[in-house]
Amino acid sequence: MIVSHKNRFIFIKTRKTAGTSIEIALAKFCGPDDIITRLSASEEQNKFDLGYRGSQNTRIPLNQYRKWDLWFWLRGGGPAHHFNHTSASLIKRRMDSESFREYCKFCVVRNPWDRAVSIYYWRKYRAKEALPENVNFTEFLSSSPTEVLTNSGLYLVDGEPAIDRFIKFENLEMELAEILEEMGLEMVELPHAKGNTRKTKEHYSIMFDNDSIDLIARICNWEIEYFGYEFEDLR
């Protein structure tokens, strides 16, 4: 997540949509008062090497704590911080209403079936708590919480989109360049953070059976309907 008071934008980081690459690139434009959430040590080093700002201003004032934040702090867990995948609803609670309303809010969306495959390979080979080797794709889908398989909870507030501009992952560089231009910022090269995780280059549909197609269709119904995504069947 990035909240840039300097450039009056909010970037909400969705899962498996090149969010880390975009965060690194957007850090180029940030000022000293902007909020930039922390990435991994290697990704923070990447920003440093590029001369961009690192993680900053993430500590949350006590008067903005949720009950869970307060409980965690009282139990000795330390102060609360803004985190990567902060939802629009939580950002809205923590910002003054005028700034939240007027800043350009944007995020990236992706075909839910394609994203599910990307999540699976990430959880299996790159996540800190990796899936057991014997867990296949169908088992992963059937056992995953809803919030793992859909990004809609990150950008919907009371069932309505709280985002001004959605970028489609499938047209990432073109649509990001358009938004940056509208804000008076030049396009910046996107680093390939967290790439090369998939162990196969086969089309995403090869991973699915009919039941798992329907499962994603049900869980991600809002995204599919709103953005017009379809399952491209190349099985």
Side-chain angles (χ1 to χ4, degrees):
M1 180 196 77
I2 292 179
V3 177
S4 176
H5 302 294
K6 177 184 177 182
N7 298 293
R8 299 171 64 81
F9 73 74
I10 301 170
F11 173 65
I12 293 173
K13 184 179 181 181
T14 50
R15 302 178 188 89
K16 307 314 298 174
T17 56
T20 298
S21 297
I22 297 171
E23 280 186 314
I24 293 172
L26 292 178
K28 175 181 180 180
F29 307 114
C30 290
D33 297 325
D34 294 346
I35 298 170
I36 307 173
T37 54
R38 182 169 297 280
L39 302 176
S40 70
S42 63
E43 291 152 359
E44 290 295 327
Q45 183 63 45
N46 191 347
K47 287 192 285 185
F48 178 82
D49 293 341
L50 291 167
Y52 300 168
R53 291 185 180 274
S55 171
Q56 60 180 29
N57 304 319
T58 63
R59 185 164 177 170
I60 297 167
L62 188 61
N63 63 357
Q64 294 181 2
Y65 273 33
R66 299 168 294 174
K67 290 181 180 179
W68 189 92
D69 297 323
L70 185 59
W71 176 87
F72 186 75
W73 179 59
L74 292 174
R75 298 270 298 188
H81 289 261
H82 297 289
F83 54 92
N84 270 336
H85 296 293
T86 303
S87 67
S89 60
L90 186 53
I91 297 171
K92 183 178 181 180
R93 285 173 54 187
R94 288 174 169 168
M95 286 184 67
D96 69 88
S97 57
E98 182 178 356
S99 294
F100 184 84
R101 183 175 63 252
E102 294 185 355
Y103 285 13
C104 177
K105 299 170 287 295
F106 63 100
C107 70
V108 183
V109 296
R110 183 177 184 178
N111 182 302
W113 291 281
D114 184 33
R115 178 164 43 81
V117 175
S118 184
I119 293 169
Y120 170 69
Y121 280 115
W122 171 259
R123 291 288 302 274
K124 193 150 188 174
Y125 297 109
R126 297 283 295 275
K128 290 182 179 179
E129 297 182 5
L131 293 172
E133 187 63 32
N134 63 345
V135 174
N136 64 34
F137 180 63
T138 302
E139 292 167 338
F140 165 72
L141 292 182
S142 63
S143 62
S144 292
T146 297
E147 59 269 20
V148 170
L149 301 178
T150 176
N151 275 327
S152 59
L154 294 173
Y155 51 74
L156 295 180
V157 176
D158 298 326
E160 297 294 330
I163 300 296
D164 301 305
R165 292 289 300 272
F166 289 100
I167 297 170
K168 281 196 170 184
F169 178 83
E170 297 78 14
N171 307 316
L172 178 60
E173 294 198 6
M174 180 185 72
E175 294 186 15
L176 177 61
E178 290 174 355
I179 290 179
L180 292 177
E181 183 179 9
E182 290 172 8
M183 295 190 293
L185 304 172
E186 74 275 12
M187 183 57 183
V188 60
E189 183 178 355
L190 294 177
H192 294 287
K194 297 182 178 177
N196 301 317
T197 301
R198 284 196 188 186
K199 300 304 180 182
T200 175
K201 299 302 180 182
E202 291 182 318
H203 189 262
Y204 68 81
S205 63
I206 304 301
M207 299 285 290
F208 285 84
D209 59 24
N210 289 341
D211 288 341
S212 55
I213 294 171
D214 292 342
L215 184 148
I216 294 297
R218 184 175 67 256
I219 291 176
C220 302
N221 178 66
W222 192 95
E223 296 163 84
I224 292 166
E225 292 293 324
Y226 193 87
F227 300 112
Y229 282 119
E230 297 179 350
F231 181 81
E232 184 182 10
D233 197 344
L234 300 186
R235 295 177 293 173

